[in-house]
Amino acid sequence: MNAAGSLINQWTSPRRATRLEGMRQEEIWDRDTAQRYDTPGTGMFAPEVLEPAVARLAELADGGRALEFAIGTGRVAVPLSERGVPVSGIELSGPMIEQLRTKAGPERIPVVVGDMSTALVERTFSLVYLVYNTISNLQTQAEQVECFRNAARHLSPGGCFVIELWVPELRQLPPGRSATVWENSPGYIALDTYDTLQQHVVSHHFHFGSGSTAQLFRSPHRYIWPAELDLMGQLAGFTLESRHADWSGAPFTASSRSHVSVYRHDPPRD
């Protein structure tokens, strides 16, 4: 049995919880995680991943200000600001903000500490964006709806809310199993364990070298189908403007593993 198969057997017991019970998001995104988060030039920091996202967001900002929910260490915000887009952020994790501050000061990228579904920034924006699946960090449908409503609060009329999100891979689940391996590469295995009743998933990231031990990082999520995401947008006054499979504009199809969705907000006029 290969390493991926062994890990599936280990993590797919029906009795094994798929949520990190009792852990708050700020405990998961702690100092150790923040210090290991950036991988310059590789993974989500690879130029072919990052540059199309920044280019598309700069286009959607259309000369206005941008607000990033869950700004993290500034993976997107820093290069976006370098393109001349004024960027602000909301972030729950203090250690992630500390890492951001090694790249850009508060005058350049101001950040409000708080939950992206409730925290307020005292200005309006032409663009609010939420990348790399982060809306799924909110663990209930109600919180995810409130995230849309919070985006609406921050947008000027006609502004847009952009979400990058993965498509749940439930079709990949074999009978009797509750996990899928979504990446298996040298030194790294990633798998998701699903609780389909609660619509919860935990992502497990295993990093290892030539020895017999591995380093594990886990994060809990609530997965969202594209149609459910659209309904959340409607509840907050948004209309879906476009949906593509990636930041470069590839068509979104039934086999797409993720999507970039652009929602336009036009509040009712008196």
Side-chain angles (χ1 to χ4, degrees):
M1 180 181 295
N2 63 23
S6 177
L7 287 170
I8 287 180
N9 284 341
Q10 179 182 359
W11 289 100
T12 56
S13 165
R15 295 184 297 275
R16 189 175 294 276
T18 57
R19 296 186 72 189
L20 302 181
E21 299 293 348
M23 287 195 72
R24 301 188 304 272
Q25 287 293 327
E26 56 266 38
E27 294 176 303
I28 296 168
W29 303 98
D30 58 12
R31 187 174 305 279
D32 182 59
T33 300
Q35 291 176 347
R36 292 186 288 106
Y37 188 79
D38 289 9
T39 56
T42 64
M44 71 178 83
F45 288 82
E48 64 270 20
V49 174
L50 187 54
E51 290 174 4
V54 172
R56 177 64 171 143
L57 290 170
E59 176 187 7
L60 289 168
D62 195 25
R65 296 181 175 275
L67 173 63
E68 181 171 356
F69 284 179
I71 195 170
T73 66
R75 179 182 73 95
V76 173
V78 170
L80 185 59
S81 70
E82 290 172 349
R83 284 180 172 250
V85 178
V87 182
S88 298
I90 293 174
E91 174 57 52
L92 190 63
S93 167
M96 298 291 273
I97 298 173
E98 290 177 10
Q99 288 298 110
L100 167 61
R101 290 292 168 244
T102 67
K103 311 170 193 176
E107 298 81 11
R108 178 177 165 194
I109 302 180
V111 177
V112 170
V113 181
D115 189 310
M116 60 185 166
S117 65
T118 57
L120 296 175
V121 179
E122 296 299 326
R123 60 175 30 139
T124 57
F125 301 84
S126 62
L127 169 68
V128 177
Y129 65 95
L130 185 51
V131 297
Y132 218 75
N133 310 319
T134 313
I135 191 172
S136 67
N137 288 0
L138 299 169
Q139 293 290 284
T140 69
Q141 185 184 70
E143 290 173 322
Q144 292 166 348
V145 171
E146 283 306 309
C147 184
F148 269 92
R149 289 176 173 150
N150 202 32
R153 293 184 194 105
H154 287 93
L155 284 170
S156 54
C160 62
F161 183 31
V162 181
I163 295 178
E164 179 187 19
L165 187 60
W166 99 101
V167 178
E169 296 188 315
L170 297 184
R171 290 180 299 177
Q172 301 298 322
L173 286 176
R177 294 280 181 87
S178 60
T180 62
V181 174
W182 53 271
E183 185 169 342
N184 183 10
S185 57
Y188 177 64
I189 293 175
L191 62 89
D192 287 337
T193 53
Y194 284 86
D195 176 352
T196 55
L197 181 63
Q198 300 297 325
Q199 211 163 307
H200 290 148
V201 62
V202 174
S203 293
H204 309 263
H205 304 266
F206 297 87
H207 297 269
F208 52 90
S210 58
S212 61
T213 61
Q215 185 178 60
L216 169 64
F217 172 74
R218 295 184 294 160
S219 59
H221 307 271
R222 180 186 183 272
Y223 62 83
I224 313 169
W225 296 105
E228 182 187 10
L229 196 72
D230 295 346
L231 182 57
M232 291 179 182
Q234 291 176 35
L235 292 173
F238 287 97
T239 301
L240 179 67
E241 182 173 273
S242 66
R243 172 168 290 138
H244 294 96
D246 57 28
W247 291 101
S248 298
F252 180 73
T253 70
S255 61
S256 296
R257 298 184 67 184
S258 64
H259 58 94
V260 175
S261 298
V262 178
Y263 295 92
R264 189 69 61 178
H265 188 250
D266 287 306
R269 294 174 174 81
D270 296 332

